[in-house]
Amino acid sequence: MLRALTSALRLPGPWRPLRTRGCASHGATRDREIQVRALTGRDQGITEILMNRPSARNALGNVLVSQLLEALAQLWEDQQVRVLLFRSGVKGVFCAGADLKEREQMSEAEVGIFVQRLRGLMNEIAFPAPTIAAMDGFALGGGLELALACDLRVAVASSAVMGLIETTRGLLPGAGGTQRLPRCLGVALAKELIFTGRRLSGAQAQALGLVNHAVSQNEEGNAAYHRALELAQEILPQAPIAVRLGKVAIDRGMEVDIASGMAIEGICYAQNIPTQDRLEGMAAFREKRSPRFVGK
């Protein structure tokens, strides 16, 4: 069992730079429904994924899903990404969920295939580095499922509205909501929210533990993004391999009994022992200075 776990928990191999890195603000890229931007300066290491489909309030249609899958596939190979931040380029909305107008034109078989793609997308968001959802507006159905697939969530307290509302449309959550919401809030509360299709404000969501932080909105309509960026900046200086392995230990450990979880933690810890960053952390402590972690 431990041998299988060791293989499953091995860190990704050599990474390659993202081909579209730094191009999100130029030319035809502005017209893409998914834009990728690697921050620079003191924020180097933070990469943003911007959802920009104003005509459909960032609804999860074929094009947006395909572009998001493409972006994630490239980012998985980019060792420079220490934090991945999901945000919206459409004011007042994070993601309105499934594109029901597009879905209406699909056959039953096509619906099944597309929902399976959505499920796969949410699994891809379970990224090696920490992920943060900046929810500056509505996050309904698949939009909330996307946020639930992230490690951390920040929302505006009053104007953010979120919920797994599928039962009000004759549906049920199909992109991970029935699995991730109870893992986040507990079974009874998740059932209540899914059965009723209830919508929550950002403040209510924070009180339940659905979001990490709820903030007052600003005039620009991007307060959640700025708080999410601050959170990313707080993660950024920490040892990236240790952070990733800590994420693996938590995520995998939550799926098993405590004894197996402790074994997973031990495997992750062992992988961190030979890293340069561990030695740098010890040296910085001894020399009473800030560590300079390089991800090796």
Side-chain angles (χ1 to χ4, degrees), residues 174-239:
T178 64
Q179 302 307 304
R180 291 190 174 94
L181 191 64
R183 283 168 168 79
C184 179
L185 299 182
V187 172
L189 185 51
K191 285 181 176 179
E192 179 178 338
L193 294 176
I194 290 173
F195 293 171
T196 61
R198 186 179 302 154
R199 301 180 183 212
L200 304 170
S201 69
Q204 290 171 322
Q206 184 190 31
L208 295 178
L210 181 54
V211 302
N212 297 78
H213 302 278
V215 296
S216 299
Q217 189 58 287
N218 57 24
E219 292 184 4
E220 293 76 22
N222 60 2
Y225 163 66
H226 283 292
R227 182 65 185 93
L229 186 58
E230 290 174 1
L231 194 54
Q233 290 165 344
E234 194 174 348
I235 296 169
L236 196 57
Q238 315 315 325

